[in-house]
Amino acid sequence: MALDQTTHDLPCGRALEDVWDRLDAVTEHDLTCPHCSTARGSLLALRDATRELAADETQPSLDLTGRIMAAVRADVRRHRGMVPLSAPEPGTLEVSEQAVAAVLRFTADETDGIRARRCRVIAGGIEDGQTLIEAELSVAAAYRDDLAEVLARLRDRLTAACSSAIGVRLVRLDLTVDDLYDR
């Protein structure tokens, strides 16, 4: 089976492929024809650039792949879920689930005896013009006798932060203590 080979003819009638094949064996026509000499000059530049790239032994930095993958993961997380917010003006207003999770982690970190770990936010429906969200938050807590009270205060603070700082209503919070630490 023969392959259909397309040639690219120059205005002088010579094929560009023929000029490429004879880069090192120049004919009188190649030197005097303005079309062939221009094509030849461009092809020589292309060949030199290709050789230079092929000879380049520069290695990418060791963390290049990790940095690329971190950017990809962050972009995927950022676009995974958006939380619609009520807007006083016409149009839409949204915040990423990742941004809501950051507010929750910050609120947890500001609570005495609590260190935020992982946070996952899921946008629910809308009720009475307010977006409903669910969150899963894992924390490390200082070992203390009143831990149940601290966690109850944390739950109240997270609920208030959702309402006042973001404008959403926290309808479900799964709070997990992953670790205890000494104060």
Side-chain angles (χ1 to χ4, degrees):
M1 179 166 122
L3 294 175
D4 179 25
Q5 293 185 343
T6 304
T7 60
H8 301 88
D9 293 333
L10 298 172
C12 65
R14 193 167 266 173
L16 182 62
E17 290 76 8
D18 292 338
V19 176
W20 176 259
D21 291 339
R22 283 191 321 278
L23 275 179
D24 295 320
V26 183
T27 66
E28 182 66 29
H29 176 84
D30 294 327
L31 296 174
T32 58
C33 174
H35 308 293
C36 289
S37 63
T38 301
R40 185 174 183 281
S42 296
L43 291 172
L44 284 169
L46 175 64
R47 183 176 72 179
D48 292 344
T50 303
R51 284 182 179 162
E52 185 179 326
L53 285 173
D56 186 8
E57 294 183 15
T58 304
Q59 296 295 317
S61 64
L62 296 176
D63 67 337
L64 178 64
T65 301
R67 290 185 1 232
I68 291 170
M69 292 311 297
V72 168
R73 283 190 293 274
D75 193 53
V76 168
R77 281 193 306 267
R78 189 173 15 264
H79 292 90
R80 182 174 40 213
M82 298 301 286
V83 177
L85 301 175
S86 60
E89 312 245 343
T92 61
L93 180 61
E94 296 178 321
V95 64
S96 70
E97 290 175 352
Q98 183 180 5
V100 175
V103 169
L104 295 177
R105 282 192 305 274
F106 177 79
T107 302
D109 284 340
E110 291 296 306
T111 303
D112 185 43
I114 298 294
R115 295 180 186 156
R117 293 277 175 92
R118 290 177 307 279
C119 186
R120 180 172 172 243
V121 173
I122 303 161
I126 297 178
E127 186 177 290
D128 298 328
Q130 198 170 29
T131 300
L132 310 176
I133 65 163
E134 298 179 359
E136 300 169 359
L137 176 65
S138 64
V139 298
Y143 181 76
R144 53 198 293 168
D145 293 337
D146 64 340
L147 183 57
E149 292 172 23
V150 170
L151 293 175
R153 244 187 344 269
L154 174 61
R155 187 176 292 276
D156 291 342
R157 292 187 74 193
L158 293 170
T159 302
C162 283
S163 179
S164 64
I166 307 168
V168 298
R169 189 165 67 212
L170 182 62
V171 294
R172 179 176 162 211
L173 173 62
D174 294 335
L175 192 55
T176 305
V177 177
D178 279 345
D179 197 8
L180 295 174
Y181 64 91
D182 288 328
R183 296 198 329 156

